[in-house]
Structures are given as structure tokens and as C-alpha cells.
Amino acid sequence: MSPLPDTELCYRAVQSRDARFDGWFFTAVTSTGIYCRPGCPAATPQRRNVRFHPSAAAAQQAGFRACKRCRPDATPGSPEWDLRADVVARAMRLIADGVVDRDGVPGLAGQLGYGVRQLQRLLRAEVGAGPLAIARAQRAQTARVLIETTDLGMAEIAFAAGFASIRQFNDTVRTVFATAPTDLRARVGGRRPSPAAPGSLSLRLSFRSPLCPDNLFGHLVATAVPGVEEVRDGAYRRTLRLAHGPGVVALRPTPEHVACKLTLTDVRDLTSAISRCRRLLDLDADPVAVDELLAGDPVLAPLVAKAPGRRVPRTVDGAELAVRAVLGQQVSTAAARTCAGRLAETRGAPVDDPAGGLRRLFPSPEALVGAEVALPASRRRTLAALVEALADGRLDLGPGSDRDEALATLSGLPGVGPWTAGVVAMRALGDPDAFLEGDLGVRRGAAALGLPATPGALTARSACWRPWR
């Protein structure tokens, strides 16, 4: 099923400039050759001149250029790709994570277990563009952000955004934005901020309003692993394991966007780092739809009215989340943090962080095989089985994983109960219907919500934690 709504509904959204549909579809105007987001403030085009596309890549492939006023390429992505578990959604998540840039279309198809031609047909049928066109649109947007917000030279930007050559970079920017890269920089006044440190980039991560940062950042802070995560100067900071070397990110919520400062070993990891930060904060979610659903529950309705836009934090690394979920079984948050911190200190790769106190990457599954952990014997067996399954590839919790297969494998490991599986399904695999089953899940969730400890009081999308400070 295509994520593109009915065309008449699309046009009504354009007429009312309904920003809730931004990212769900794109409006292309044949008389101007421009495509816009539905909430564009420009005059509404006549219906006969309008075409609708399910993605920016499809609009670009049809020959339309991005509107300079509403910047449709910068809108949050469709929530469909986070919610769904089919091969198209898995492919979109992997493309967002930079797989096409690193491994090409054959690498993408191989990770999904499909042939290249079959995958291309599926994406064209639903998204309106093939994997190369989707990756190209993503590279163009990354390039635009770097041109307008950093002091990098054009050659460095082309390399960082994933282009194979300067010529390809120039041609793509001119085609997508109808202007040269140097003109894009000139339009923002030629402002080129001095870099704070080599490889350091400051970006803005967009989101759909409303966003309640209290529970989102509050949970990340409350469960932060020493040496891997910290709070400094009002920002949540953590280390990232990326394809070409470690990175550090600082995230700070603002009313209009999430301020993101990335320090990378290799700028080729930029696209992947941005994608993981967006996934961590669930920034492509549709909070209006979520709030409407939760408000239908009489117990949850007051909570929604008090603080709309609550989101559950996800993760930058599914394997890390699973390990931490096992460490947190039947112990306090503080005890789980201490145990994870010790593992990071002894098994995690070192990271250089001149700006703060981050010292380590969270250990990879391979690094954790055979690790001695001060846990009860039953949980040691569970942890050992988990890291072995992750290390040998039997269990895949990455953005392109098969959700049902992953949960079946995870649930078959010794000592993995409904609560652990539910946490991984919700935060690593993005399952919108995950439920924290079992007494532990109900007690923890209800206590955080200030609700009675009854199974009906907790759903995945209603979990919230202590306020962000």
C-alpha cells in the first residue's frame, strides 16, 4: 500500500496549508516546475496544475526543483518508514542510514535478501523512485545543510555528502535547487562560522510539532552510561560508533528544532550520524496522530492534555539497546547504569572528547563475547547468549532488520522474557504496537506516568519519564 493519501485529500491539505501533512507527500506544480511541502505559504496552485508525489526523490526524478521558500527537502520524513516493517520501509531506513553511499544498491539489496531489480521495482511502485534516486535526494539535502551552515569548502562538502565527484555534486545541486552551490551559500549572506574543532558541524534537526522534550531527554539523562553519555551545558551528549570511525554528538532541544553538534572522525559518516540522531529522538513521528489515539483512553487523556507531543526515546544502536535491556532486568536504573559503565570502561573502544567527559564507545557485541559481568548466573547466561547471537549475525537489530524474525530470535534466547522483548521491539525495532508486558513493565511504566499499576495504564507510546533538566 502506498503512503500517498487520496489526491483530493492532498489538495485540500494544500489549500489549507496544513503542515501536518509535511513529509507525507509533496506537491509538484507543472506551471512552475517547482515542488513544495503541503504547508507552503505560497499561493495555492490551480488543481489542474498539481501533481502529488510520495517522496522528494520522486518529485525530483519527475523534473521538479525544490521550492526556495518552503524548502520541502528539509521536512521530516514520512512516519510510515519508521512504523512499518515491510521491505520498502526497511529499505528506506537503510538508505537513510547511508547504506547506498557505502555499499551501493547491490549492498542494500543484499542486506534485505532481495535481488537488485526486484528491490528497484518495489521502491518505484511505492515511493516513486529507485534507491539511487532516493539516495541522491538525501545527498542533495545533506549538501545544502553543509553549504548553508558550515565553513567547509565545496570539495569537502561534496565528499561529506556522499557524492563521487565534484562534477556530480555541482550537477545535482543545480538540478535539485536550480542554483549553483556558491549561490546557495551567498543567499544566506555568505556566513561561514568558524569551526569549533576539526570535524565539528552544527546542524538543526527538524521535527513535527508538538514535541515535549521532558520525557524524551529526561529518560536519556536518567539512564546515561558513564563515559558513553553525559549532560553538559544543557545538552545531552553521547558517543557514536560509525562506519569510518567514532563520533560524538551533542543534542539540545529548542522550541523550533533540535540543535545538533556532531564531531566526526570522517565526514563520510555524516548522513548516517544524522539518521541515527533522528531515530534516537523519534523526530519523524506524527505526534498529532499519536496524541489523538492516546487521548481516547480516559486514563491517559489528562496526561496528553497536560504535555502534548510526548515521545519515547529510541536508540542509535539496536545491539547496544538490547544489551542494556538485559542489564536492566529486575534491577534499579542506577545499578544498570553502573554495570553498563563498567563494561564500557573495560570493553569499549576509546574516544577522544576534548569538549567533555566522554571516553568510550559502548562495546560492540564482538567485544562483549566472553566478558565477565557481576550479575546473577541466570542473567550472565542471558547476556552471553544475546551477545553471541548478535556477534555471529543470527540476531539483527539494525535499521533494515526483519522485525518479526528479529523478535522471534530474541524471544528464543534463554532468559529473554516479554518485558525485555517489548523494550527492544519498541525502542530498537520501532514497533508502534509494542507493549511492556509482565509485572516489571507495568510497575516501571505506571510509576513513571504517575498512574495505577494496571496493565491498561501503559502502552508503548505513552511511556514517559522524569522531566528533562
Side-chain angles (χ1 to χ4, degrees):
M1 179 185 293
S2 170
L4 189 66
D6 175 81
T7 56
E8 291 308 312
L9 174 63
C10 290
Y11 190 66
R12 289 199 298 272
V14 172
Q15 286 179 309
S16 61
R17 298 182 175 84
D18 194 336
R20 292 177 299 172
F21 287 87
D22 288 355
W24 284 96
F25 67 88
F26 296 83
T27 307
V29 184
T30 58
S31 58
T32 63
I34 294 172
Y35 76 95
C36 304
R37 62 173 71 188
C40 182
T44 303
Q46 296 184 29
R47 178 66 182 87
R48 66 175 180 271
N49 296 330
V50 172
R51 305 291 183 270
F52 299 107
H53 294 277
S55 67
Q60 293 171 18
Q61 191 161 275
F64 296 91
R65 65 175 177 82
C67 174
K68 296 178 181 178
R69 188 171 182 181
C70 71
R71 299 167 62 98
D73 52 304
T75 189
S78 171
E80 288 284 317
W81 310 133
D82 273 340
L83 297 176
R84 288 167 37 181
D86 57 56
V87 67
V88 171
R90 291 163 58 201
M92 293 296 286
R93 292 195 289 269
L94 283 172
I95 294 171
D97 199 52
V99 168
V100 172
D101 293 336
R102 293 192 298 270
D103 305 323
V105 176
L108 171 68
Q111 287 200 36
L112 295 169
Y114 279 71
V116 170
R117 291 185 179 180
Q118 185 180 15
L119 179 61
Q120 289 174 330
R121 284 196 299 270
L122 289 169
L123 284 169
R124 288 193 183 109
E126 186 157 349
V127 188
L132 280 177
I134 297 167
R136 175 177 176 265
Q138 182 171 278
R139 287 195 292 269
Q141 165 57 12
T142 300
R144 181 178 193 165
V145 170
L146 293 177
I147 289 168
E148 295 180 343
T149 64
T150 76
D151 74 332
L152 293 175
M154 294 302 169
E156 293 175 287
I157 289 173
F159 184 64
F163 290 98
S165 67
I166 297 295
R167 180 176 179 178
Q168 185 188 61
F169 162 69
N170 287 329
D171 290 346
T172 298
V173 171
R174 286 192 178 98
T175 299
V176 173
F177 304 117
T179 189
T182 52
D183 293 334
L184 276 179
R185 180 164 277 170
R187 285 217 314 267
V188 294
R191 293 189 296 271
R192 299 173 64 177
S194 299
S200 180
L201 303 169
S202 294
L203 311 169
R204 295 181 176 184
L205 304 183
S206 59
F207 57 78
R208 291 181 178 83
S209 296
L211 181 142
C212 175
D214 289 0
N215 70 298
L216 184 61
F217 284 84
H219 176 66
L220 294 173
V221 172
T223 59
V225 176
V228 176
E229 301 166 286
E230 69 171 3
V231 178
R232 185 176 292 267
D233 300 328
Y236 164 77
R237 305 177 74 246
R238 70 154 294 146
T239 58
L240 300 171
R241 177 181 293 102
L242 301 166
H244 300 98
V248 172
V249 64
L251 299 165
R252 188 195 320 270
T254 77
E256 302 298 329
H257 62 269
V258 174
C260 172
K261 183 177 179 180
L262 282 164
T263 303
L264 304 174
T265 302
D266 192 316
V267 290
R268 288 178 294 176
D269 287 322
L270 177 63
T271 296
S272 178
I274 292 174
S275 172
R276 295 179 192 197
C277 292
R278 295 193 65 83
R279 187 161 64 246
L280 172 68
L281 302 180
D282 202 16
L283 295 186
D284 290 326
D286 184 347
V288 174
V290 171
D291 285 353
E292 286 179 353
L293 182 63
L294 295 180
D297 186 304
V299 178
L300 298 176
L303 179 68
V304 174
K306 180 180 179 181
R310 291 177 181 271
R311 308 184 193 200
V312 175
R314 294 185 58 192
T315 184
V316 296
D317 186 320
E320 173 188 321
L321 188 280
V323 170
R324 292 172 65 170
V326 169
L327 293 178
Q329 289 177 339
Q330 301 174 346
V331 298
S332 68
T333 298
R337 290 179 65 230
T338 299
C339 186
R342 288 172 180 163
L343 278 178
E345 197 63 38
T346 57
R347 297 278 177 150
V351 171
D352 182 25
D353 178 30
L358 302 179
R359 303 180 302 278
R360 300 280 176 176
L361 292 174
F362 193 85
S364 66
E366 293 78 8
L368 288 173
V369 173
E372 293 293 331
V373 189
L375 294 172
S378 59
R379 265 194 296 136
R380 287 203 305 272
R381 287 193 293 270
T382 300
L383 182 61
L386 173 65
V387 297
E388 287 172 5
L390 290 166
D392 64 22
R394 284 182 291 124
L395 176 59
D396 179 10
L397 299 176
S401 62
D402 183 307
R403 186 182 293 165
D404 291 338
E405 181 181 321
L407 286 176
T409 302
L410 180 67
S411 299
L413 297 177
V416 175
W419 180 82
T420 303
V423 168
V424 174
M426 178 173 64
R427 296 185 57 193
L429 301 175
D431 185 352
D433 298 317
F435 189 88
L436 300 187
E437 296 182 33
D439 181 62
L440 178 63
V442 171
R443 284 190 287 107
R444 285 190 174 178
L449 287 163
L451 298 174
T454 58
L458 181 66
T459 65
R461 288 295 191 184
S462 71
C464 73
W465 308 81
R466 68 189 66 181
W468 162 246
R469 289 290 182 264

